[in-house]
Amino acid sequence: AQKVTQAQTEISVVEKEDVTLDCVYETRDTTYYLFWYKQPPSGELVFLIRRNSFDEQNEISGRYSWNFQKSTSSFNFTITASQVVDSAVYFCALMYGGATNKLIFGTGTLLAVQP
Amino acid sequence: EAGVAQSPRYKIIEKRQSVAFWCNPISGHATLYWYQQILGQGPKLLIQFQNNGVVDDSQLPKDRFSAERLKGVDSTLKIQPAKLEDSAVYLCASSNLELAKNIQYFGAGTRLSVL
């Protein structure tokens, strides 16, 4: 079965702290894709990153970084020096199924960054 | 480039009434998706279109939900009759599998309250 687990329901940090959002996935497919989306209060899901199953290289984009480890089926997301504007719900998602591109989401982690 | 447009942003109806949501995808995106997001959960796929054909509607409650994409561009999702448990945000997304590496881009959603 395909599944995405985000065990952290809510995280609260103070501005400038680093924070890591955890994501664990399950799939039997050998080819799959992992995503992170941000959902601010406005409601729109904003794409952050896509990673395919053959690329375990970690990625850094500004204050954001992602750690993909197939051995532990995890795709964790770290925000360095958090800011109030980072406050949102963050979703990890798994795409599988070849050409049908089925995308399933975790339950999300609400990040609150306090000034 | 304009994003995915959805309307209305909010809708309040009474149970057993009908409601319709509209979506205009990003120009040139052949694939269109409708998701249902219940409060506190991740989005769940209802239906996927490729141009004007249905690719996957296995999760669509067909006794009350219907969707169409007649000209392969705009799409409408309808609920008739609505139930209390249909209260959710309905998100539309689109993708261009050739250019955008199966990344789905989302609209701001329609928040439906069924009383």
Side-chain angles (χ1 to χ4, degrees):
Chain A
Q2 329 287 342
K3 187 178 179 181
V4 176
T5 301
Q6 294 180 257
Q8 303 152 308
T9 306
E10 292 186 35
I11 300 176
S12 182
V13 299
V14 176
E15 211 170 14
K16 297 183 184 177
E17 284 186 20
D18 298 347
V19 58
T20 295
L21 309 181
D22 297 333
C23 173
V24 174
Y25 64 92
E26 295 177 31
T27 180
R28 292 182 180 176
D29 286 16
T30 54
T31 300
Y32 54 90
Y33 300 86
L34 296 165
F35 297 78
W36 276 95
Y37 282 87
K38 174 182 180 180
Q39 189 173 43
S42 60
E44 183 174 345
L45 278 161
V46 178
F47 165 76
L48 295 178
I49 189 171
R50 168 193 178 270
R51 177 64 83 222
N52 74 54
S53 53
F54 300 108
D55 182 4
E56 286 193 73
Q57 196 169 28
N58 292 332
E59 182 159 338
I60 298 174
S61 176
R63 296 184 297 108
Y64 295 172
S65 62
W66 291 269
N67 179 251
F68 177 27
Q69 291 193 343
K70 288 180 73 172
S71 60
T72 56
S73 297
S74 65
F75 186 43
N76 296 337
F77 173 29
T78 297
I79 302 175
T80 302
S82 59
Q83 300 176 1
V84 172
V85 293
D86 296 327
S87 297
V89 180
Y90 290 86
F91 289 96
C92 180
L94 166 69
M95 181 174 284
Y96 66 97
T100 58
N101 290 303
K102 292 182 182 296
L103 186 64
I104 59 169
F105 288 82
T107 51
T109 297
L110 173 61
L111 174 64
V113 182
Q114 310 296 334
Chain B
E1 179 181 79
V4 176
Q6 290 189 247
S7 68
R9 285 300 314 276
Y10 306 93
K11 191 73 177 177
I12 301 174
I13 62 173
E14 295 188 351
K15 60 183 179 183
R16 291 188 287 274
Q17 286 187 326
S18 62
V19 64
F21 314 125
W22 173 82
C23 172
N24 181 243
I26 293 173
S27 177
H29 281 196
T31 311
L32 184 147
Y33 314 80
W34 282 102
Y35 287 85
Q36 180 192 59
Q37 185 179 17
I38 293 172
L39 187 64
Q41 299 182 20
K44 184 186 79 171
L45 180 69
L46 292 174
I47 188 168
Q48 176 182 345
F49 291 94
Q50 181 70 21
N51 295 308
N52 59 354
V54 175
V55 174
D56 182 2
D57 64 356
S58 58
Q59 304 268 51
L60 188 74
K62 298 180 186 64
D63 57 333
R64 298 183 300 106
F65 285 65
S66 64
E68 60 183 13
R69 193 183 185 201
L70 293 176
K71 296 183 179 179
V73 181
D74 293 6
S75 177
T76 302
L77 176 69
K78 297 180 181 177
I79 307 175
Q80 182 179 6
K83 292 185 175 181
L84 296 177
E85 59 260 36
D86 297 332
S87 294
V89 175
Y90 291 85
L91 293 161
C92 180
S94 69
S95 67
N96 182 327
L97 298 183
E98 292 181 0
L99 296 180
K101 300 179 181 179
N102 65 15
I103 296 169
Q104 295 182 21
Y105 295 92
F106 286 79
T110 296
R111 184 177 298 276
L112 174 67
S113 296
V114 182
L115 308 178

